[in-house]
Amino acid sequence: MTLEQFSYDNKIVRNFAVATMVWGIVAMLVGLLIALQLPFPGLNFDAHTTFGRLRPLHTNAVIFAFVGNGMFMGVYYSLQRLMKARMFSDVLSKIHFWGWQLIIVSAALTLPFGITAGKEYAELEWPIDIAIALIWVVFGINMFGTIIKRRERHLYVAVWFYIATVVTVAVLHIVNSIELPISLTKSYSVYAGVQDALVQWWYGHNAVAFFLTTPFLGLMYYFLPKAVNRPVYSYRLSIIHFWALIFLYIWAGPHHLLYTALPDWAQSLGVVFSVMLIAPSWGGMINGLLTLRGAWDKVRDNVELKFFVVAVTAYGMATFEGPLLSLKSVNAVAHFTDWIVGHVHIGGMGWNGFLTFGILYWLIPRIYNTSLFSKKLAGFHFWIGTLGIMFYAIPMYFAGFTQHFMWKEFTEDGVLRYPNFLETVVQIVPMYKLRALGGFLYLTGALVMVYNLVKTAYSGKLIANEAAEAAALEKVYVAHDGSHWHRWIERKPVQLLIASLVVILIGGMVELIPTFMVKSNVPTIASVHPYTPLELQGRDIYVREGCYTCHSQMIRPFRFETERYGEYSKPGEFVYDHPFQWGSKRTGPDLHREGGRYPNSWHYNHMEDPRTMSPGSIMPPYAFMIEDDLDTTTTAAKIRAMQTLGVPYPEGYDAKANADLMKQADAISANLLKDGIKVMSNKEIVAIIAYLQRMGTDIKGEKNVEQK
Amino acid sequence: MAAVFFNVIALNAQATKQAKLELPSMFDNGTLNIAVLFAIVLVLIVLALVKSTVSLSKVLSQNKGKVSAIALMLLSSVSAFSQGVAAATAMPNPLPDWVFNPAVYLLGFLFTILLVTVYVLYKVNINLLKAMNHDTEVVAQEELQTETEEEKAPGFMRRIYLRMVDSVPVAHEKDILLDHDYDGIKELDNNLPPWWIYGFYVTIIFGVFYLLIYHVSGAGKLQAAEYQQELAVAAQEKEARMRASADNVNEDNVTALADAELVLKGKETFERLCVTCHLSNGGGTVGPNLTDDYWLHGGGIKNIFKTITHGVPNKGMISWSSQLSPKQIQQVASYVLTFKGKNVAGGKEPQGDKWVEEVVAAKDTTAAKNDTTLSAQVNAKDTIK
């Protein structure tokens, strides 16, 4: 058996590390800005920097730019060493790296301009979606190529997680992003209403599972034992928790839609599978923390281990809290409030952020063949980061509870104690300030890290190609030798890939297919009609501005909601909504029954400057809609696209649509004039008013909504 | 974790309560509600314990109805919280008053939690510090030592602990070290932690029962049924309230209030909800001018009461009946009447028809006069506040 000489590609790892740091800072800066916009609405400078447009930028930058690059950095480093092979192709590595950065740049250049698909964490428009799919395939090929030419017979648990990640993210991304384009910058989700919601949250939830969790569990399985130099606690635990995790996770998406118009059976599946997820999730935490058994002394002086320990603990907390939040009674409290925001930031800042920081501290000195510039600064980063998380999360929990209980409180006379939604917002504004402080502390820590690591890099020299040697795998058939049965599949990457694909498809198919095929899941309501052309244009403005980041369109069947907003939302009301806009957070009130609640003039004044109509409001001003002309050249294409998607506009309506549009716009303009407001009927404001006045009115006044 | 958090919030709430008589609204509702919920659990536990002692069981069984009624009231809201106390103290009973004061249990409970938390944190920290100062070799040796000691006499709790953890000590881990080696990473072959696997089974059983209860047996109420029940309870409560209050107001019997105190309440509601469309001085922007003699839907207390109650949805005036009680609407309507004849500068142009009160002229002047004095009184009271 001869040893083969080869080298590991450290340059690609370094590149991803730099990208992680750069995008991490950018993502956190945007996060800090939008956190400050809530208590200080004056920070919504212009149309491009409103909360509604920047919030998707923050989430996308954190998930895909910061965590994504961090994941690739860790995978490229560990995969080569676990496979005892250089990456399959340096060219593919480069395409992957630059392609991904290009996607991020195009996201940053489109989202502030309101180019969005309007679905959370999947806002990027269709050309970028295609680019993501292609680059992801490049990553997959590069990974599998490396696995195929490996010099290690068995695949380590980290690699199982990487494989599951690659397969599942591809499935999720493609299914959720099927859109019908009407131009280069605008498309409609092919799914509508309830179905769109289910697909979106099947995707959204599993983006958390397979983009933020499984790859990072893989990274933990490599970097934690490496850093502490101890054997992994239990091989059998890793087998059970891996398969259980990927099988169960995929079912849990509907827990984002509890007490909504989603069919009850799907909600219940979401509940029970989320609860069953506790143990598999904790399996990872246990295996990580118990690996430290007997070596806790190293945590004392080893900064990356400190980060790892907090990351794994945060993971354990978030994955325990998640199932609790999936219990309907708890969800009734938490949904639409800041509790959820706090929850995801424990995961994002604690688990993903700290694990990434730990890996950076471990890996940069190694690939630069030097030691860390300053342990003291790293220690400072650890403590200020931890403090930042606390300052972030605790006010959010507090704000969540407070607001929920204010929403639902009735007086002795049986009426809402805080009928004005704004009162419940004003109450928690101090919490928003504290949260921004938490974010600021966390960002400060990250900046200190960047300085520390740049200094470290300059003190050493990058080993672009790290020499290594290993014996080649003999191309002989190896019969299973009676050791643990799982050893078999660990030798078979393709079978492992297929097995994980099958396992993750089951849950998705069981939930998605009946929701699409069985008619009783979305009973038809006769009085629900398609949007008029003007309303449709207005709705697209609503999507463009990211109104769904603060306003829900989903009244839950609770007395405290129906008293406040009106009849609870029915599945049949959303059949023409491409994409659905139910939202997941109420920084402002629900808008599903907004139609007819206020006069047009109220909306006009409120959009121009929310604080004239609602003193103390924290909504951004939308005065630019009064200036900007509505683009009616797209109307025909939009109507045709809707027809393709099954919206019953009459044949040939696309040609007449603009005439109807102008008629309705003129009527609104005339109505505004009665209240002394002079506005041309071709302005965007007229369209958004038309949409707002239509919302939820289809079943208004109908005593018994007939659902067939 | 969550418990600690509640603890802190509720202690804050408690502190604020003592510091100021008037509670800030943040503590007025939610957070305290949760703390009260926890407290009730404790109360029930305490009651269960007390009940088991023979001497007190008779007393309690006589009071059983009352006790559970108090518990229910506590659950419903914080305002009921104080009522609960009042009701309890008003009842003649052989137990001292503090037994029925939920605040005692609340504080007792929070204090217990605090103690437990401090103890747990202390233990964890000590263990962690110990671990942090010992390297692997020392840990292994210590384990060996305790092992030999335990062979003699492992305590009951210790035996349960060991069985639930089922892990091979660091000192013996060479026996279960697998021949796996991935870039230097080795793996141990520890058993699945029994507490973990049993927990997993419990969640699976939970899942099966959950689906059976909600989707097979039909015993569990799904959201639509749950909502209907909530509405039914609210309707019952409303009926009870209507029966209880002799002076309930409706659009047929409503009269303009003359009590400045009550009209001031109406003013507060007006300032909170109505000013966005009608302006603070009643001059109107989106909504019509309330200070002139012209009314779109009729002037006078009855019409104004009706308009506020039902709204005029197609003109943008919403129905306030779900947000305001009839009494509150009466107060607001009475306050609106105080605008009469002010014809504020910059007000909206008159809309609708001129309204003439259907009363004899003489009375009308006194009424108008009264309105003016009432308006002055209300404003005076407002300034004092």
Side-chain angles (χ1 to χ4, degrees), chain A residues 139-362:
Chain A
F139 173 45
I141 294 172
N142 210 10
M143 176 193 282
F144 252 81
T146 315
I147 294 174
I148 299 297
K149 63 170 206 174
R150 70 191 186 279
R151 296 186 182 80
E152 179 73 63
R153 176 87 53 200
H154 292 94
L155 305 182
Y156 176 54
V157 50
V159 184
W160 317 341
F161 277 109
Y162 299 160
I163 291 174
T165 302
V166 164
V167 173
T168 316
V169 170
V171 172
L172 295 169
H173 173 70
I174 291 168
V175 173
N176 187 47
S177 302
I178 302 179
E179 294 139 340
L180 185 64
I182 65 145
S183 72
L184 202 60
T185 56
K186 175 75 195 162
S187 67
Y188 291 117
S189 171
V190 296
Y191 318 107
V194 173
Q195 285 128 1
D196 197 31
L198 183 63
V199 173
Q200 158 63 23
W201 283 111
W202 166 78
Y203 161 86
H205 175 73
N206 290 300
V208 173
F210 289 89
F211 205 91
L212 303 176
T213 306
T214 54
F216 275 70
L217 281 170
L219 297 180
M220 180 202 80
Y221 269 114
Y222 180 82
F223 289 98
L224 183 73
K226 282 298 261 189
V228 74
N229 195 22
R230 293 270 303 142
V232 171
Y233 176 73
S234 170
Y235 165 63
R236 269 175 289 160
L237 182 58
S238 50
I239 296 171
I240 302 289
H241 103 88
F242 168 74
W243 289 105
L245 190 80
I246 67 169
F247 172 68
L248 295 173
Y249 232 128
I250 209 88
W251 292 76
H255 71 209
H256 291 258
L257 298 168
L258 297 181
Y259 284 116
T260 67
L262 188 74
D264 285 311
W265 62 267
Q267 294 189 28
S268 295
L269 284 180
V271 172
V272 300
F273 278 90
S274 304
V275 171
M276 287 192 272
L277 255 177
I278 299 177
S281 302
W282 271 31
M285 175 184 73
I286 297 167
N287 230 357
L289 288 180
L290 289 181
T291 298
L292 291 165
R293 217 168 42 129
W296 279 94
D297 58 306
K298 291 186 178 154
V299 179
R300 198 184 46 204
D301 353 85
N302 189 330
V303 75
E304 57 260 23
L305 276 178
K306 282 197 182 94
F307 276 106
F308 289 156
V309 168
V310 170
V312 173
T313 312
Y315 171 68
M317 276 166 60
T319 53
F320 184 63
E321 192 186 14
L324 287 186
L325 286 169
S326 308
L327 296 170
K328 284 179 92 173
S329 52
V330 182
N331 191 273
V333 177
H335 197 48
F336 293 135
T337 73
D338 286 303
W339 183 349
I340 304 298
V341 182
H343 168 66
V344 300
H345 279 84
I346 294 271
M349 294 165 125
W351 164 240
N352 296 114
F354 267 35
L355 202 74
T356 308
F357 297 150
I359 294 172
L360 280 165
Y361 280 120
W362 189 83

Side-chain angles (χ1 to χ4, degrees), chain A residues 58-74:
Chain A
H58 167 64
T59 51
N60 279 283
V62 166
I63 299 171
F64 300 108
F66 171 55
V67 177
N69 276 307
M71 172 212 307
F72 300 140
M73 162 187 77

Side-chain angles (χ1 to χ4, degrees), chain A residues 566-596:
Chain A
E567 181 61 20
Y568 70 88
S569 306
K570 308 287 189 300
E573 291 184 81
F574 302 98
V575 290
Y576 304 127
D577 285 9
H578 297 270
F580 83 115
Q581 291 286 286
W582 293 0
S584 61
K585 170 74 176 64
R586 281 184 192 148
T587 303
D590 187 279
L591 297 180
H592 188 215
R593 303 258 177 256
E594 188 68 3

Side-chain angles (χ1 to χ4, degrees), chain A residues 222 233 268 279 300 409 613, chain B residues 29 133 167 183 196 215 276 318:
Chain A
Y222 180 82
Y233 176 73
S268 295
R300 198 184 46 204
E409 191 174 342
M613 301 317 281
Chain B
N29 44 81
N133 285 316
S167 105
D183 194 30
W196 177 82
H215 294 278
T276 49
I318 67 168

Side-chain angles (χ1 to χ4, degrees), chain B residues 59-80:
Chain B
V59 182
L60 271 162
S61 61
Q62 282 159 6
N63 278 299
K64 209 162 75 182
K66 292 169 194 168
V67 172
S68 54
I70 295 165
L72 272 178
M73 271 189 267
L74 289 181
L75 267 170
S76 62
S77 83
V78 177
S79 38

Side-chain angles (χ1 to χ4, degrees), chain B residues 137-181:
Chain B
E137 282 303 304
V138 180
V139 173
Q141 271 178 8
E142 272 187 0
E143 273 185 3
L144 273 182
Q145 212 173 355
T146 40
E147 208 180 319
T148 41
E149 277 166 21
E150 265 162 11
E151 264 164 28
K152 288 174 215 154
F156 176 67
M157 291 307 281
R158 181 76 187 158
R159 274 206 311 263
I160 290 182
Y161 171 80
L162 288 176
R163 185 176 285 180
M164 278 295 143
V165 174
D166 190 19
S167 105
V168 176
V170 175
H172 292 298
E173 71 184 21
K174 283 196 181 61
D175 308 341
I176 53 159
L177 193 64
L178 295 165
D179 62 347
H180 307 174
D181 185 336

